[in-house]
Amino acid sequence: MASPLSPARLRSSDLLRLGGTGLRARPLRAVLSSLGIAIGIAAMTAVVGISSSSQADLDRALAALGTNMLTVTPGETMMGKSATLPDTSVSMIRRVAPVLSATATGAVDDAHVYRTDKIPQAQTGGLAVMAAELGLLKTVGASLADGTWLNAATARYPAVVLGWDAARRLGNVPAVYMLGRWWTVVGVLNHVPLAPELDSAALVGWQAAGAYLGFDGHPTTVYARAVDAQVEAVRAVLGPTANPQNPNEVKVSRPSDALAAQRATNATFTALLLGLGAVALLVGGIGVANTMVISVLERRAEIGLRRSLGATKGQVRTQFVAESLLLSLLGGAAGVLLGYLVTGFYSATQDWPTVVPLWALGGGVAATVVIGAIAGLYPAIRAARLAPTEALAAA
């Protein structure tokens, strides 16, 4: 007795060709359907990208306000006297994992800065002299208006960098006079919004301050930058870290209010982006479903003929699902590319950084494929249920 015939299985390459043939048979409809999906995904990608770029610009502006910067200063002892920070406090703070950078300045109370050696010592002009670590500019976000910053060489010798207000008051001088010695002016700072005390200060190297000005090596202000999400946690440990023996003798600044505003803004942006993305995907899915339903109605004769020639219900279902997936994939890829280009153009006009999250690029294509599969499932099932004689008779 002869064994019953089993239907041939469709390979992946067969499904790809079959789905492509269905789309090529009606190119205008396929293009318009893909265009509808592409516009929806492009709108989602562009909105996500433009919002993310705007958020990146806002984060950059908020970072300039020092949202993640904390300062550590000496407090008072139990006897009401001024405390001091250990000379190891900066190195200890740098060991805290979420701390990105830490640096310090130390007040040199016995030294004053003068334009010439002819000015009476009592006329200090309110200008402070501070020892500064080499990493100060990076941590506090300062920049130079002229000259250079201290380096490993000049920090050991009589070289000084003036704050912008100190330079304005002293005038354009090549050197200043401090504690019986001339100090070469090697640079001038711009205004430092995050550390305004530096504006009216003469900054010298840590080693030079100890060698020439009698500096005791104890920092008076420690500046620390921390990971945004860990600012509060870092603040809680800065006191015990800076002065383990007497943590109650340490003052730590509170996080900036701008940090709370930044987090609230990020949460709002996230909710907005998710909502817009869901709407765009829903619109794209409806378009795919509509296209595939119409395709089934128009291709009843083809379906009946294929069934008559031995195609199984599963093969018919797979064919229409494959067409739906191809249609969605083409539209999703085109939409992501178009959305990225729109984001780049708009960001360039606004002088923003171009930021398109990877989840928006990859997720846009992946989501359209998933939506396409779901949207094409009902039309595929409907096509598979058509009896060959009914389909041919209706055609």
Side-chain angles (χ1 to χ4, degrees):
M1 181 178 176
S3 59
L5 294 176
S6 59
R9 293 186 177 182
L10 293 176
R11 294 172 297 182
S12 299
S13 57
D14 296 329
L15 284 175
L16 186 61
R17 285 195 298 268
L18 191 60
T21 300
L23 297 181
R24 288 195 300 271
R26 295 164 178 81
L28 181 59
R29 173 170 294 170
V31 169
L32 292 177
S33 299
S34 296
L35 183 60
I37 298 171
I39 291 174
I41 297 303
M44 183 199 73
T45 305
V47 169
V48 170
I50 291 173
S51 299
S52 298
S53 300
S54 174
Q55 181 179 344
D57 184 67
L58 177 61
D59 289 344
R60 184 172 59 182
L62 290 175
L65 299 177
T67 55
N68 65 340
M69 192 174 81
L70 299 167
T71 58
V72 179
T73 55
E76 294 183 349
T77 65
M78 297 293 292
M79 305 301 294
K81 297 181 180 180
S82 297
T84 57
L85 293 176
D87 54 7
T88 59
S89 58
V90 180
S91 60
M92 295 294 290
I93 289 174
R94 289 191 184 121
R95 297 180 184 179
V96 179
V99 172
L100 301 175
S101 63
T103 189
T105 59
V108 185
D109 296 328
D110 295 334
H112 302 286
V113 55
Y114 303 96
R115 178 185 175 90
T116 71
D117 57 350
K118 308 299 182 182
I119 298 176
Q121 293 185 1
Q123 298 180 9
T124 63
L127 301 179
V129 178
M130 297 182 183
E133 292 194 339
L134 300 183
L136 181 65
L137 294 193
K138 177 182 177 182
T139 302
V140 302
S143 60
L144 286 161
D146 190 22
T148 61
W149 176 242
L150 301 170
N151 55 44
T154 56
R156 298 176 178 272
Y157 299 101
V160 60
V161 175
L162 300 177
W164 77 274
D165 187 46
R168 179 182 62 84
R169 289 201 241 170
L170 293 172
N172 187 17
V173 292
V176 294
Y177 191 74
M178 291 189 293
L179 210 62
R181 185 183 300 272
W182 287 98
W183 292 65
T184 303
V185 177
V186 296
V188 176
L189 296 180
N190 286 312
H191 172 55
V192 187
L194 301 184
E197 62 274 10
L198 301 180
D199 292 340
S200 58
L203 303 169
V204 301
W206 207 268
Q207 299 90 336
Y212 301 108
L213 302 177
F215 177 54
D216 60 7
H218 292 288
T220 53
T221 302
V222 179
Y223 305 94
R225 292 269 189 175
V227 176
D228 289 343
Q230 300 292 327
V231 171
E232 289 86 354
V234 171
R235 181 178 184 268
V237 302
L238 279 185
T241 302
N243 193 348
Q245 295 183 347
N246 300 292
N248 58 327
E249 295 181 359
V250 179
K251 292 182 179 179
V252 182
S253 65
R254 63 185 296 271
S256 170
D257 291 336
L259 182 61
Q262 182 182 22
R263 291 176 178 172
T265 302
N266 290 345
T268 302
F269 268 125
T270 301
L272 173 64
L273 300 183
L274 291 177
L276 291 172
V279 171
L281 291 177
L282 178 62
V283 172
I286 293 174
V288 172
N290 181 58
T291 299
M292 297 312 298
V293 167
I294 295 175
S295 180
V296 169
L297 295 176
E298 289 186 345
R299 296 163 66 185
R300 295 173 68 130
E302 176 190 336
I303 296 169
L305 181 59
R306 289 201 63 218
R307 290 296 310 279
S308 300
L309 294 176
T312 63
K313 291 183 179 181
Q315 290 173 345
V316 173
R317 276 197 305 268
T318 307
Q319 173 190 350
F320 280 89
V321 170
E323 289 185 21
S324 178
L325 288 174
L326 281 175
L327 193 65
S328 301
L329 182 60
L330 292 174
V336 165
L337 178 60
L338 180 60
Y340 185 85
L341 294 176
V342 170
T343 300
F345 174 76
Y346 187 81
S347 299
T349 61
Q350 300 296 318
D351 197 23
W352 293 346
T354 301
V355 179
V356 181
L358 290 178
W359 65 263
L361 296 175
V365 176
T368 53
V369 171
V370 173
I371 293 296
I374 296 174
L377 190 59
Y378 169 72
I381 294 174
R382 182 172 178 177
R385 286 179 177 175
L386 286 175
T389 53
E390 179 187 349
L392 290 172

